[in-house]
Amino acid sequence: MTTPDISADVVVVGAGFAGLSAARELTQRGHDTIVLEGRNRVGGRTWTATIAGVPVDLGATFVGPTQDAVLKLVAELGIKTMPMHAEGTSLIRWRGRVRKYHGTFPQLSPVELIDLGRVRWQLNRLQRRVRLRDPWTSPNAATLDTMTLQDWLWSIRATESTHDLMAMMSLVTWGCEPAAVSMLHAARYIKAAGGLDRLLNVKGGAQQDRTLEGTQQIALQMAEELGDRVIVNAPVRAVNWDDSGVTVTADHMTVRARLVIMAIAPAHRAAIDFQPALPSGCSELMQRWPQGSLGKFFVAYETPFWRRDGLSGASLADEGPVFSTFDYGPNVGGPGIMLGFTKSRSFDPLSPQQRQEQVLASLGCVFGPEAWHPIDYIDQTWATESFAPGGPTAAVPPGSWTRYGPWLRKPIGPIHWAGTETADEWTGFLDGAVRSGRRAAAEIAAKLSG
Amino acid sequence: MTTPDISADVVVVGAGFAGLSAARELTQRGHDTIVLEGRNRVGGRTWTATIAGVPVDLGATFVGPTQDAVLKLVAELGIKTMPMHAEGTSLIRWRGRVRKYHGTFPQLSPVELIDLGRVRWQLNRLQRRVRLRDPWTSPNAATLDTMTLQDWLWSIRATESTHDLMAMMSLVTWGCEPAAVSMLHAARYIKAAGGLDRLLNVKGGAQQDRTLEGTQQIALQMAEELGDRVIVNAPVRAVNWDDSGVTVTADHMTVRARLVIMAIAPAHRAAIDFQPALPSGCSELMQRWPQGSLGKFFVAYETPFWRRDGLSGASLADEGPVFSTFDYGPNVGGPGIMLGFTKSRSFDPLSPQQRQEQVLASLGCVFGPEAWHPIDYIDQTWATESFAPGGPTAAVPPGSWTRYGPWLRKPIGPIHWAGTETADEWTGFLDGAVRSGRRAAAEIAAKLSG
């Protein structure tokens, strides 16, 4: 083996929120820590771009109450947040018609409202019995993990409209259909967010606030603090390990350290060549913890014209590539900015030009022809990224939690695991990423001082 | 970018049966072809070792009638095959008792036999309606791909004993429980083998014959023909591609070629960094086409003592790490050799000493105390390999075929796909691997001459 280029106490693989939080924590405790990042930027699944002169988040965007880890970080770094625009009436395009609604869930008819209320009640009751830390030991784990969210909706005889609404919820939350996600994962995920309302709401929920300058700013500031300890353009290909430490090989560089934190999505662990190979449970998990797929776009208009009509800008749709929008608009008098989510399967294969056309056509159907005349447009197809393609988070299929869950963050020799998928609270969110980084840093610190 | 170390018409990634067959075909047609292999040996999921002086196959072993592609290859290379020992009575350890049976499936009671016959009949009827090449277009695809084999067994009210027997069949075929495999995949897989009897039988079926010198011999001879065109210890980390060709980066080496064949398991595609990133359907597939997990062992005895008692050496068991055995014994008067399969989840984490003890304990329960005194032992835990950990083949979960099947072997620019999982006949077998390599070679040859 060649001489390592760098030696450190700890090497962190991945400069997303989990990896940077871990490195920051370890560095503050005096442990020499190096972060290797495969992309040409830090931030992982956060990435801030600009349209019409306004910073917009192509990846993770929102923060909300009870997300204490990320909120504390935001406060420490002196980063400003602002509430999302949530006043006005929302719209749903459903079975060919556009209707208005208030609040998080549309009221399609009094009967449908009763059914939706019942399903939400059952879902909230069910998630309370799931154990966050070791969901495979929950009293109902075996049953819930053999079914998908769709199977569960069938089993409780949800109406077709409730199915449709839960499908939109599933898409925006996990980037997959209800038929692709384990009911045990769905229930645990809702619980990790503090319940269904907390998960889905703007006001008082996970979408309440966003940062003024863009969310990547948080990562950029953490990276700035860490200085030349963060190395970008260094995709890690191999981790050689034994009880004495690790040698991490990236393109054009090796790092020798006593311990490593793999702060990457579980599915992306399969992209690394571990030598010696990991226990079979570990390897099996990597092949069965896929990322969902979700695209995101922003459209800028001269003004937020929808507000004039008393609309919130929030919408849902049961067809077309755009199935959900929000008003991202930063300030009164500035440009109007619409943020939206797209289905990867039909959207990603299109050319950039076709993608923009389809988005504008979809928005036109919901918000009227003014939507056809933007001043700027940008989108991001996360499922065509090189690192852990997909997003926003794992869409865990049936069987994975009960069969492989115990391997999700179990340290293997000097190898520790972080990433929002490994968090016990706000799994899948920025907050979960920060928590997971701190938890892994605490594991490491205990070993280094022990 | 640095100058490539090697230039060729075609580079093949993976020196298993698929990759070597493709390279052999292309070389015979006069196309300059290089094969890069990550392991220190060729053969992929075939690997021949020796116990008690006898060559034994730690990986793929058997060939049988209608496996014309691999049989033709065996004949061309002048490799000798021999029938497996199949005379005598088989044993099943089931619910704490050991019983005798004849043929492929045990007869647990007359009632059970009727139920098993019914389920086999329904399975055979069902697989006939599945389309091999594009199973997602089968008339029953949507329904079959939302259920697992276990769901299907429940839906047709199979008895518990039938469930147990199908669970053993599932383990040995895909390395997974019936709850982990899509019913569409199960039905298509059975069809690709020519039906359930062909799939499971020794005489007249997929386990009828084996090679005398070990199956890896076939790969070794193909590699010898190809000479220094095959490069081992060259794990491929990245594939940079555009319409003009590919640059494939392995450890310490790059190869420039017009076209590439990725002859690796679908799950292992996720270990390669494709630049530019592949279409999202491709990336999503890699995260949702996991390998099953199966361990394998051989135990050598002074004599095949079980034959003395009129036993075939074949057995099934519903508990313990060993759930299936066969008599591998090569010749009368030589040592007796028992081959068996183990469940990865409980077996792989054990120490080598514990693994051997558990195997002998299991064999003792079925074949009596003589099984406790071997003269040699070897095992292989495929789920702890570095390259596509698991085996013997993909255990495709519900939803993957209907959502991602069209991406399984669709060429992306200069990138073509091979591997037994991409075959239309004998998917998952040596024969499928050879067929897939020839199919990919034909695609490539058409492009190079076009």
Side-chain angles (χ1 to χ4, degrees):
Chain A
M1 189 170 299
T2 51
T3 314
D5 300 305
I6 304 174
S7 288
D9 294 331
V10 186
V11 56
V12 176
V13 177
F17 273 52
L20 291 171
S21 298
R24 189 169 179 259
E25 186 88 14
L26 289 167
T27 304
Q28 284 170 359
R29 292 181 189 222
H31 302 301
D32 186 19
T33 304
I34 291 290
V35 184
L36 296 177
E37 167 58 47
R39 305 178 200 252
N40 60 3
R41 60 170 183 82
V42 300
R45 288 174 257 169
T46 64
W47 189 18
T48 304
T50 302
I51 66 166
V54 178
V56 292
D57 277 307
L58 297 176
T61 305
F62 305 116
V63 293
T66 81
Q67 297 185 346
D68 299 334
V70 71
L71 291 174
K72 178 165 172 281
L73 181 63
V74 162
E76 277 174 24
L77 298 173
I79 285 170
K80 289 194 187 66
T81 64
M82 57 176 284
M84 286 290 285
H85 177 80
E87 281 80 49
T89 307
S90 301
L91 297 177
I92 180 165
R93 181 184 175 199
W94 189 65
R95 301 194 183 166
R97 279 183 54 196
V98 176
R99 304 150 195 247
K100 295 183 173 181
Y101 70 96
H102 288 88
T104 304
F105 277 108
Q107 173 178 354
L108 299 169
S109 79
V111 175
E112 293 299 344
L113 187 68
I114 289 167
D115 188 63
L116 186 61
R118 174 180 73 92
V119 169
R120 290 171 65 184
W121 183 83
Q122 289 196 262
L123 200 47
N124 266 326
R125 193 183 57 165
L126 185 140
Q127 55 94 2
R128 274 188 222 111
R129 297 181 62 208
V130 171
R131 300 181 60 173
L132 277 177
R133 186 176 288 266
D134 41 10
W136 54 90
T137 66
S138 308
N140 44 1
T143 308
L144 293 182
D145 206 33
T146 56
M147 35 170 77
T148 63
L149 171 56
Q150 175 168 283
D151 294 334
W152 182 77
L153 289 169
W154 277 334
S155 77
I156 62 162
R157 298 191 169 72
T159 63
E160 231 180 297
S161 334
T162 301
H163 261 279
D164 289 350
L165 290 172
M166 296 303 285
M168 297 180 214
M169 187 278 272
S170 177
L171 256 178
V172 76
T173 305
W174 302 293
C176 72
E177 304 87 337
V181 65
S182 157
M183 191 59 204
L184 179 60
H185 183 67
R188 180 190 178 277
Y189 197 91
I190 291 166
K191 180 168 194 161
L196 199 57
D197 293 331
R198 188 76 84 190
L199 175 69
L200 297 177
N201 284 355
V202 176
K203 273 192 185 158
Q207 283 70 237
Q208 178 174 296
D209 299 305
R210 68 172 179 85
T211 57
L212 201 60
E213 305 283 321
T215 305
Q216 199 192 353
Q217 188 64 29
I218 304 170
L220 288 167
Q221 280 190 225
M222 284 195 280
E224 200 180 301
E225 275 185 19
L226 292 163
D228 58 11
R229 290 189 182 87
V230 180
I231 301 165
V232 296
N233 289 316
V236 168
R237 308 298 184 188
V239 173
N240 290 266
W241 61 279
D242 59 27
D243 288 340
S244 74
V246 293
T247 303
V248 175
T249 307
D251 284 357
H252 320 300
M253 175 182 303
T254 63
V255 180
R256 177 75 196 170
R258 287 178 60 190
L259 299 160
V260 63
I261 296 177
M262 303 299 300
I264 57 180
H268 193 59
R269 297 176 189 175
I272 316 284
D273 184 5
F274 292 91
Q275 291 291 350
L278 298 176
S280 38
C282 260
S283 301
E284 286 162 359
L285 181 144
M286 298 172 192
Q287 297 179 41
R288 290 166 178 85
W289 219 270
Q291 295 294 97
S293 285
L294 194 63
K296 195 170 178 183
F297 66 84
F298 291 85
V299 191
Y301 297 96
E302 291 285 358
T303 62
F305 61 87
W306 52 89
R307 294 188 191 176
R308 194 192 56 215
D309 304 326
L311 298 177
S312 68
S315 74
L316 292 169
D318 69 347
E319 62 174 310
V322 177
F323 64 88
S324 175
T325 64
F326 291 95
D327 181 334
Y328 191 76
N331 47 36
V332 182
I337 295 178
M338 188 73 86
L339 130 70
F341 297 102
T342 56
K343 296 185 193 179
S344 287
R345 212 154 319 139
S346 50
F347 192 67
D348 293 3
L350 305 175
S351 72
Q353 176 68 20
Q354 289 172 319
R355 293 207 302 267
Q356 180 171 348
E357 279 168 14
Q358 290 224 1
V359 162
L360 298 181
S362 283
L363 294 182
C365 286
V366 176
F367 294 102
E370 276 178 279
W372 296 340
H373 305 291
I375 57 171
D376 208 351
Y377 173 88
I378 193 169
D379 64 25
Q380 168 66 4
T381 57
W382 286 96
T384 62
E385 288 276 295
S386 290
F387 298 97
T393 179
V396 184
S400 287
W401 268 111
T402 43
R403 289 187 210 119
Y404 307 105
W407 294 97
L408 183 60
R409 62 180 191 209
K410 182 183 178 178
I412 308 295
I415 305 166
H416 292 245
W417 310 97
T420 188
E421 282 77 17
T422 70
D424 281 339
E425 288 179 72
W426 287 107
T427 314
F429 286 79
L430 286 174
D431 188 65
V434 174
R435 287 176 196 267
S436 78
R438 292 196 174 161
R439 188 255 316 141
E443 290 169 5
I444 293 262
K447 275 193 186 176
L448 287 177
S449 65
Chain B
M1 189 171 297
T2 52
T3 314
D5 300 305
I6 304 173
S7 288
D9 293 332
V10 186
V11 55
V12 176
V13 177
F17 272 53
L20 291 170
S21 299
R24 189 167 179 261
E25 186 88 14
L26 288 167
T27 304
Q28 284 171 359
R29 292 181 188 221
H31 302 300
D32 186 20
T33 304
I34 291 290
V35 183
L36 295 177
E37 167 58 46
R39 305 178 201 253
N40 60 4
R41 60 172 183 80
V42 301
R45 288 174 256 169
T46 63
W47 188 18
T48 304
T50 302
I51 67 166
V54 179
V56 292
D57 277 307
L58 298 176
T61 305
F62 305 117
V63 293
T66 79
Q67 297 185 346
D68 299 334
V70 72
L71 291 174
K72 179 164 172 280
L73 181 63
V74 162
E76 277 174 24
L77 298 172
I79 285 172
K80 289 195 186 67
T81 64
M82 56 176 285
M84 285 290 286
H85 177 80
E87 281 79 52
T89 309
S90 301
L91 297 177
I92 179 165
R93 181 184 175 200
W94 189 66
R95 300 194 183 168
R97 280 183 53 195
V98 177
R99 303 151 197 248
K100 295 183 174 180
Y101 70 94
H102 288 87
T104 305
F105 277 107
Q107 172 177 355
L108 299 169
S109 80
V111 175
E112 293 300 344
L113 188 67
I114 290 167
D115 188 63
L116 186 61
R118 174 181 72 93
V119 169
R120 290 171 66 185
W121 183 83
Q122 289 196 261
L123 200 48
N124 266 325
R125 194 184 55 164
L126 184 140
Q127 55 94 4
R128 274 189 223 110
R129 297 181 63 210
V130 171
R131 300 182 60 173
L132 277 177
R133 187 176 289 266
D134 41 10
W136 54 91
T137 66
S138 308
N140 44 3
T143 307
L144 293 181
D145 206 31
T146 56
M147 34 170 75
T148 64
L149 173 56
Q150 176 168 284
D151 294 333
W152 182 77
L153 289 168
W154 276 335
S155 78
I156 63 162
R157 296 191 169 72
T159 64
E160 233 179 298
S161 335
T162 301
H163 262 278
D164 289 350
L165 291 172
M166 296 303 284
M168 296 179 214
M169 187 276 273
S170 177
L171 256 178
V172 77
T173 305
W174 303 292
C176 73
E177 305 88 335
V181 66
S182 159
M183 190 59 204
L184 180 60
H185 182 67
R188 181 192 178 277
Y189 196 92
I190 291 167
K191 181 167 193 159
L196 200 56
D197 294 332
R198 190 75 83 189
L199 176 70
L200 297 177
N201 284 355
V202 176
K203 273 193 186 156
Q207 284 69 237
Q208 178 174 295
D209 298 304
R210 67 172 180 85
T211 58
L212 201 61
E213 305 282 322
T215 306
Q216 199 191 353
Q217 188 63 30
I218 304 170
L220 289 166
Q221 279 189 227
M222 283 196 280
E224 198 178 303
E225 277 184 20
L226 292 163
D228 58 11
R229 289 189 183 86
V230 180
I231 300 167
V232 296
N233 290 314
V236 168
R237 310 297 185 188
V239 173
N240 290 265
W241 61 280
D242 59 27
D243 287 340
S244 74
V246 292
T247 303
V248 174
T249 306
D251 285 356
H252 320 299
M253 176 181 304
T254 63
V255 180
R256 177 76 196 168
R258 286 178 60 191
L259 298 160
V260 63
I261 296 177
M262 303 300 300
I264 57 180
H268 193 59
R269 297 175 188 176
I272 316 285
D273 184 5
F274 293 91
Q275 291 290 351
L278 298 175
S280 38
C282 259
S283 301
E284 286 162 1
L285 182 145
M286 298 172 191
Q287 298 179 39
R288 289 166 180 85
W289 219 271
Q291 294 295 97
S293 283
L294 194 63
K296 195 169 178 184
F297 66 84
F298 291 85
V299 191
Y301 297 96
E302 291 285 359
T303 62
F305 61 86
W306 52 89
R307 294 188 191 177
R308 193 192 56 214
D309 304 326
L311 298 177
S312 67
S315 74
L316 292 170
D318 68 348
E319 63 173 307
V322 178
F323 63 89
S324 175
T325 66
F326 290 95
D327 181 333
Y328 191 77
N331 46 39
V332 181
I337 295 179
M338 188 72 87
L339 131 71
F341 297 102
T342 55
K343 297 185 193 181
S344 288
R345 211 153 319 138
S346 50
F347 191 66
D348 293 3
L350 304 175
S351 72
Q353 176 68 20
Q354 288 172 320
R355 292 207 302 268
Q356 180 171 348
E357 279 168 13
Q358 290 224 359
V359 163
L360 297 181
S362 282
L363 293 183
C365 286
V366 176
F367 294 101
E370 276 177 279
W372 296 340
H373 305 289
I375 56 171
D376 208 352
Y377 173 88
I378 193 169
D379 65 24
Q380 168 65 4
T381 56
W382 286 97
T384 62
E385 287 275 294
S386 289
F387 298 96
T393 179
V396 185
S400 287
W401 268 111
T402 43
R403 289 186 210 120
Y404 307 106
W407 293 97
L408 184 61
R409 61 180 193 210
K410 182 183 178 178
I412 308 295
I415 306 167
H416 292 245
W417 310 97
T420 188
E421 283 76 16
T422 69
D424 281 338
E425 287 180 72
W426 287 107
T427 315
F429 286 78
L430 287 173
D431 188 65
V434 174
R435 287 176 196 266
S436 78
R438 293 196 175 161
R439 188 254 316 140
E443 290 168 6
I444 294 262
K447 276 194 187 178
L448 287 176
S449 64

